[in-house]
Amino acid sequence: MVRITILDLQKKILINPGRIKRIVNNVLKLEKAKSKGELTISFTTDALIQKLNKKYLKKNAPTDVLAFDITTPKEKKELIADIVVSTDTALRNAKVFNTTPFYELNLYSIHGLLHLLGYDDHSSKNRKLMRKKELKYVHP
């Protein structure tokens, strides 16, 4: 079983850890992903995610989600990872895309998880596949 830890490091959106865990577990199950490991999902501010984005990806700007696979070669059969989600970005994008902040948080969590499971969005073809999966999983 993948142990999921939810960290709420912000004060703008009330986080429902149970709902996030259900969505993540659903994706892991349907994607037939690794069944062991630890995943931490941190909900944070633009300021913190911008610092992480600058430090690790050399991009000095906030973003919606960052995903870090920290699995070591010894742990190949496990998922050891962190996902960081910006609630500030979720609030902004909910207005832009006429959704809700909760929808955006779910979407970003799924997006980060799909990256950890090996999906990428660098080409048009891969972006379409990833978007299709996101939409499938965002409403469990």
Side-chain angles (χ1 to χ4, degrees), residues 25-120:
N25 278 320
N26 186 50
V27 174
L28 291 170
K29 180 179 143 193
L30 294 173
E31 289 291 321
K32 297 176 177 65
K34 298 170 184 173
S35 59
K36 289 183 180 178
E38 292 185 38
L39 175 64
T40 300
I41 304 175
S42 300
F43 294 92
T44 188
T45 62
D46 271 355
L48 181 54
I49 208 166
Q50 181 172 344
K51 285 180 188 175
L52 295 170
N53 204 16
K54 183 178 180 181
K55 181 175 181 176
Y56 294 104
L57 299 178
K58 309 298 183 227
K59 295 178 182 175
N60 190 17
T63 188
D64 51 1
V65 61
L66 295 171
F68 301 97
D69 184 345
I70 52 178
T71 309
T72 66
K74 277 170 99 175
E75 302 160 328
K76 277 185 203 171
K77 296 179 182 174
E78 295 183 35
L79 173 66
I80 311 291
D82 292 323
I83 296 173
V84 183
V85 174
S86 171
T87 55
D88 292 329
T89 300
L91 287 166
R92 273 194 313 280
N93 283 345
K95 290 177 185 171
V96 170
F97 297 112
N98 197 29
T99 60
T100 68
F102 302 106
Y103 175 88
E104 295 296 323
L105 294 178
N106 293 342
L107 182 65
Y108 304 163
S109 299
I110 292 166
H111 185 86
L113 182 57
L114 289 173
H115 275 303
L116 295 170
L117 298 178
Y119 293 93
D120 75 68

